[in-house]
């Protein structure tokens, strides 16, 4: 068999975080005749190297310490098309950890190598995989060229000429047909395999075809049967989730995805999907964990997105609201760490930073840290001025934060701005809620100002009283009593201090706002008296 | 951490150290002058012996704790070659032959099947065989691995179904282990099994059938 293994001119990449394992593999590869072997210490380094150079053979350990693992290296390499279909990718795993790796991957490796391995095991395995790859080369070359028709016909040729390659060739054949949504053809390929061997991927393929051919119930049954035999075959859970979702069984779908992430927690996309589904199911605990994982895993991958961070914060805020307080501190600091990270990672993206500041302010508001909440609100406000055409949602977010931080004037102004534009229907509820809050808080705030004004007035501090009443009467809802109080303060000020035409004019403006007060109204006497005083002051001023 | 977990952790660590030891020894064997090769082979033989027993121990432990051993594409001829190679190192005086056959891949857990076959070879050698023949046949979708030898054959009590033999020098659990491995492989309702017989011309034959 040794003669079959031609590694001399192959560009080989060995990836392992442990130095002994790395050098052991490297020296074994040298013994097998490879002259061009490079090594990488972690997932990031491996990905960088794959992005830069074409490798014919990659041997990557599954576990690469912190950061990306072998699965992620493979997924990125295939996802970005940096690894040709003709090159061989082998995942090396600790003994039987292969069970956890297998079936978790959308992009599967060409093969697995289980530790511990000896030189001859390595030689045997490599020879097999390279011979297969070589035999299937016409198919893979066609795939690399994007000629799927040709690839399919090559696959049929190979199966016909060399029945020993039925499994590997059918595996590609099935996938190609699935890609082109030719489900009957794909099903035929999988069924042919299953007549010969109980290959698990063929069983999955069969179920997927049955689903697409319009029998989701039978597909679900098939998937559950596979899971009995291979409980770690994660993709079955993914498909079951999809089927459940289609049947509007969102809770069951969530359970399937939870089962999937329990087996294979490293798939970013699956975590994101679980998070979204959990939000729909109002299960914010699960959502929080899922988005937290997505955020953490995405950090080193091509699936990194600020949305993961913000979704995490949103879910966390739900839990902050529901928790009895003792976890609040932990949750809050978790939120702040995530927000710091997002600000750092997305510096210069004004909208992202704006969202982060809004979230920060809201989180502080929820734990009743008024001061910090206000500081973050100010940062958000500043950021909003830098956004060229703020969206309606951003303006609504800002308004909500103004309400949180009791900046009612600004909230009102922002509402006026929003009134000028068309509000998307999904935001109307939020907008209504703000309006209620603004109005509700206004009347109580205005009442508070009124009380304050009365306090000043009673102590003879008329100037201060005027300021408080002026503030209170700014609100449209300010009632006649408040308006009369304001007039009275102004009148007393002019009478005791000095003539002030502006204040006097204000009094008339306030009378106009009050309109007429009937004789039966208990405030009628006071109203008449103040009117007389004003008239007197006007005459004495000579107007 | 309870005792069982502690034991598992220690064995796992042993396994890793054995791997380093074997790799290093193989490297040294290539590097030393030919006059030392024999001594290195003797060393390697023992080392590999320990390594395979540790693997067996771990596997038994995992099977007991309901771990899952997933099947994958595997090549029966490769499986036989690996078993032979390992056996030749462990039992240099024994002749081991493979009867070549169909080279298409099967779908089974290579690791488990190799271990089961290695157990069978060990049993043969310990029973006094000097020649062992490995073969694989396919019938439809069924794979049949067989190990036959020129030893004394099975005693009646074993053929009658008794499994724990008191043979000196081995764990005597080989057949039990092989049956566990066989039963682990199934296809629908069909389960794998092990059958024992004595050859008409003498010697024992064990067949591991995978559906």
């Amino acid at each position: 068999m040794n003669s079959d293994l031609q590694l001399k001119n192959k560009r080989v990449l060995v990836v392992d975080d442990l130095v002994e394992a790395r050098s052991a593999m490297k020296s074994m590869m040298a013994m097998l005749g490879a002259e061009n072997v490079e090594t990488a210490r972690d997932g990031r380094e491996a990905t960088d190297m794959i992005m830069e150079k074409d490798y014919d053979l990659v041997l990557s350990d599954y576990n690469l310490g912190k950061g990306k693992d072998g699965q992620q290296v493979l997924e990125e390499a295939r996802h970005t098309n940096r690894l040709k279909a003709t090159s061989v990718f082998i995942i090396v795993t600790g003994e039987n950890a292969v069970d956890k790796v297998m079936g978790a991957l959308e992009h599967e490796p060409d093969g697995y190598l289980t530790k511990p391995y000896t030189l001859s095991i390595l030689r045997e395995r490599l020879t097999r995989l390279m011979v297969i790859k070589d035999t299937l080369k016409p198919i893979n070359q066609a795939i690399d060229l994007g000629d799927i028709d040709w690839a399919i016909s090559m696959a049929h040729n190979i199966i016909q000429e060399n029945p020993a390659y039925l499994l590997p060739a059918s595996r590609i054949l099935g996938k190609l047909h699935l890609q082109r949504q030719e489900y009957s053809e794909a099903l035929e390929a999988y069924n042919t395999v299953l007549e010969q061997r109980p290959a698990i991927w063929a069983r999955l393929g069969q179920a997927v075809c049955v689903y697409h051919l319009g029998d989701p119930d039978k597909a679900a049954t098939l998937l559950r049967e596979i899971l009995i035999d291979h409980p770690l075959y994660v993709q079955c859970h993914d498909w079951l989730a999809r089927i459940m979702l289609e049947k509007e069984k969102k809770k069951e779908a969530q359970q399937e995805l939870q089962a999937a992430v329990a087996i294979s927690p490293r798939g970013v996309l699956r975590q994101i999907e679980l998070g979204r589904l959990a939000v729909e199911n109002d299960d914010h605990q699960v959502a929080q964990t899922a988005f937290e994982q997505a955020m953490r895993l995405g950090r080193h991958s091509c699936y990194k997105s600020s949305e993961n961070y913000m979704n995490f914060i949103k879910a966390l805020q739900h839990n902050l609201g529901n928790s009895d307080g003792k976890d609040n501190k932990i949750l809050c600091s978790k939120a702040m760490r995530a927000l710091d990270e997002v600000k750092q990672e997305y510096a210069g993206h004004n909208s992202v930073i704006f969202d982060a500041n809004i979230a920060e302010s809201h989180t502080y508001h929820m734990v009743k840290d008024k001061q910090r909440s206000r500081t973050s609100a100010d940062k958000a406000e500043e950021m909003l001025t830098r956004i060229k055409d703020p969206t309606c949602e951003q303006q609504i977010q800002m308004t909500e934060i103004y309400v949180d931080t009791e900046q009612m004037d600004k909230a009102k102004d922002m509402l006026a701005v929003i009134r000028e534009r068309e509000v998307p229907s999904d935001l109307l509820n939020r907008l209504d809620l703000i309006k209620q809050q603004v109005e509700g808080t206004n009347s109580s705030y205005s009442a508070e100002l009124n009380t304050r004004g009365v306090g000043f007035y009673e102590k003879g501090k008329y100037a201060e009283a005027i300021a408080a009443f002026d503030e209170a009467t700014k609100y449209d809802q300010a009632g006649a009593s408040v308006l009369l109080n304001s007039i009275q303060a102004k009148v007393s000020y002019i009478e005791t201090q000095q003539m002030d035409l502006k204040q006097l004019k204000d009094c008339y403006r306030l009378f106009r706002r009050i309109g007429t007060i009937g004789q039966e109204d208990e405030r009628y006497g006071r109203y008449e008296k103040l009117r007389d005083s004003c008239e007197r002051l006007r005459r004495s001023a000579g107007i | 951490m309870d005792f069982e977990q502690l034991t598992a952790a220690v064995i796992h660590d042993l396994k890793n150290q054995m791997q380093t030891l074997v790799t290093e020894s193989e490297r040294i064997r290539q590097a030393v002058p030919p006059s030392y090769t024999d001594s290195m082979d003797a060393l390697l033989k023992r080392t590999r012996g320990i390594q395979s027993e540790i693997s067996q121990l771990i596997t038994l432990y995992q099977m007991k704790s309901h771990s899952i051993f997933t099947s994958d594409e595997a090549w029966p001829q490769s499986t036989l070659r690996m078993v032979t190679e390992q056996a030749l190192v462990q039992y240099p005086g024994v002749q081991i032959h493979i009867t070549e056959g169909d080279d298409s891949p099967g779908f089974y857990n290579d690791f488990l099947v190799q271990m089961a076959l290695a157990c069978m070879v060990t049993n043969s050698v310990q029973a006094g065989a000097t020649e062992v023949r490995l073969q694989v046949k396919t019938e439809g979708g069924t794979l049949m691995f067989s190990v036959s030898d020129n030893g004394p054959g099975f005693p009646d009590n074993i053929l009658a179904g008794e499994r724990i033999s008191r043979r000196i020098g081995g764990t005597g659990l080989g057949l039990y282990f092989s049956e566990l491995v066989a039963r682990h492989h199934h296809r629908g309702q069909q389960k794998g099994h092990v059958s024992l017989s004595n050859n008409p011309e003498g010697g024992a034959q064990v067949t591991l059938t995978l559906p």
Side-chain angles (χ1 to χ4, degrees), chain A residues 387-401:
Chain A
I387 296 171
K388 224 179 179 183
D389 293 306
T391 63
C392 191
E393 185 171 10
Q394 286 169 331
Q395 290 175 336
I396 287 180
Q397 281 177 306
M398 194 67 237
T399 318
E400 286 168 341
I401 293 304

Side-chain angles (χ1 to χ4, degrees), chain A residues 154-402:
Chain A
M154 288 314 294
H156 283 295
N157 277 354
I158 287 169
I159 293 168
Q160 214 155 33
E161 283 169 20
N162 201 340
Y165 290 89
L166 172 72
L167 267 72
S170 301
R171 194 168 190 169
I172 304 182
L173 185 61
K175 265 201 186 141
L176 293 174
H177 280 308
L178 278 183
Q179 256 175 39
R180 304 220 301 192
Q181 306 180 348
E182 294 161 353
Y183 303 115
S184 305
E185 287 84 349
L187 184 59
E188 199 190 317
Y190 292 127
N191 283 341
T192 311
V193 169
L194 289 172
E195 278 163 28
Q196 295 294 318
R197 300 277 184 262
I200 185 171
W201 49 263
R203 292 176 71 186
L204 175 65
Q206 187 186 43
V208 171
C209 292
V210 167
Y211 163 78
H212 283 299
L213 290 169
D215 195 345
D217 291 318
K218 193 185 167 196
T221 309
L222 287 170
L223 291 165
R224 295 227 158 82
E225 280 170 11
I226 301 173
L227 282 169
I228 292 171
D229 293 343
H230 305 268
L232 298 181
Y233 213 68
V234 177
Q235 290 184 59
C236 294
H237 286 298
D238 290 336
W239 279 98
L240 279 168
R242 189 165 160 178
I243 292 170
M244 291 305 131
L245 213 52
E246 206 160 275
K247 292 172 167 282
E248 292 286 327
K249 293 182 174 172
K250 287 185 182 173
K251 287 251 157 62
E252 283 88 340
Q254 185 187 326
Q255 278 166 8
E256 294 297 343
L257 285 182
Q258 277 180 267
V261 301
I263 301 165
S264 177
R266 289 216 170 201
V268 185
L269 297 178
R270 186 184 293 119
Q271 293 282 8
I272 294 172
E273 211 182 321
L274 172 60
R276 287 195 186 131
L277 196 54
V279 167
E280 282 184 46
N281 285 335
D282 271 325
D283 190 342
H284 298 287
Q285 289 289 351
V286 169
Q288 184 189 323
T289 314
F291 285 126
E292 188 171 17
Q293 291 296 326
M295 186 173 82
R296 194 175 62 78
L297 296 164
R299 206 175 277 152
H300 304 286
S301 89
C302 57
Y303 304 115
K304 191 168 107 178
S305 136
S306 63
E307 243 177 85
N308 292 338
Y309 290 86
M310 300 322 293
N311 282 330
F312 166 65
I313 300 289
K314 268 184 215 154
L316 182 142
Q317 284 170 346
H318 271 279
N319 298 326
L320 205 54
N322 291 331
S323 114
D324 50 10
K326 66 176 193 281
D327 297 332
N328 275 1
K329 218 172 170 182
I330 302 166
L331 285 175
C332 189
S333 68
K334 257 189 184 183
M336 291 311 145
R337 244 178 292 140
L339 287 168
D340 284 345
E341 190 177 314
V342 87
K343 283 186 193 172
Q344 206 167 19
E345 295 283 323
Y346 294 89
H349 296 68
N350 290 347
S351 294
V352 178
I353 306 293
F354 170 75
D355 285 347
N357 284 324
I358 291 284
E360 195 175 270
S361 174
H362 189 58
T363 310
Y364 281 132
H365 173 71
M366 293 187 79
V367 295
K368 303 192 171 59
D369 188 337
K370 281 191 178 181
Q371 208 180 338
R372 287 206 170 93
S373 178
R374 176 61 190 263
T375 311
S376 307
D378 291 347
K379 284 191 245 168
E381 182 181 84
E382 203 267 331
M383 202 45 71
L384 189 62
T385 61
R386 291 203 219 164
I387 296 171
K388 224 179 179 183
D389 293 306
T391 63
C392 191
E393 185 171 10
Q394 286 169 331
Q395 290 175 336
I396 287 180
Q397 281 177 306
M398 194 67 237
T399 318
E400 286 168 341
I401 293 304
Y402 283 144

Side-chain angles (χ1 to χ4, degrees), chain A residues 95 99 116 120 124 128 229, chain B residues 19 68 78 85 111 186-187:
Chain A
E95 185 171 6
D99 307 331
S120 42
E124 188 79 29
R128 286 290 185 190
D229 293 343
Chain B
Q19 167 66 9
I68 298 123
S78 287
E85 193 162 321
F111 171 77
H186 63 101
R187 181 178 187 178

Side-chain angles (χ1 to χ4, degrees), chain A residues 436-501:
Chain A
Q436 282 170 20
Q437 280 175 310
V438 169
E439 280 155 19
T441 338
N442 276 356
S443 54
S444 71
Y445 185 53
S446 143
E448 189 195 315
L449 285 167
N450 182 47
T451 317
R452 209 185 297 166
V454 171
F456 286 129
Y457 185 85
E458 282 170 353
K459 288 184 192 135
K461 295 180 175 174
Y462 301 133
E464 286 88 341
I466 289 172
F469 289 130
D470 276 353
E471 194 64 29
T473 55
K474 265 189 188 167
Y475 297 101
D476 296 339
Q477 301 79 10
S481 309
V482 181
L483 299 176
L484 286 173
N485 285 346
S486 179
I487 296 169
Q488 190 171 341
K490 290 174 201 290
V491 168
S492 299
Y493 176 79
I494 296 170
E495 282 175 341
T496 56
Q497 314 277 327
Q498 58 184 15
M499 186 60 200
D500 185 330
L501 283 178

Side-chain angles (χ1 to χ4, degrees), chain A residues 1-5 7 28-29 32 90 112-113 117-132, chain B residues 73-86 98 100 103 108 110 114:
Chain A
M1 279 302 292
N2 199 7
S3 58
D4 293 339
L5 195 55
L7 290 173
M28 281 193 192
M29 291 306 293
L32 294 176
I90 296 175
Y112 301 94
L113 181 69
Y117 52 85
T118 60
L119 185 62
S120 42
I121 291 176
L122 180 63
R123 181 195 296 127
E124 188 79 29
R125 197 97 192 123
L126 276 179
T127 308
R128 286 290 185 190
L129 295 171
M130 307 279 283
V131 168
I132 291 182
Chain B
E73 261 150 70
W75 291 264
Q77 295 297 325
S78 287
T79 307
L80 295 188
R81 261 198 293 280
M82 288 298 99
V83 174
T84 310
E85 193 162 321
Q86 202 187 330
I98 297 175
E100 291 285 336
D103 199 27
Y108 55 91
D110 200 6
Q114 277 185 36

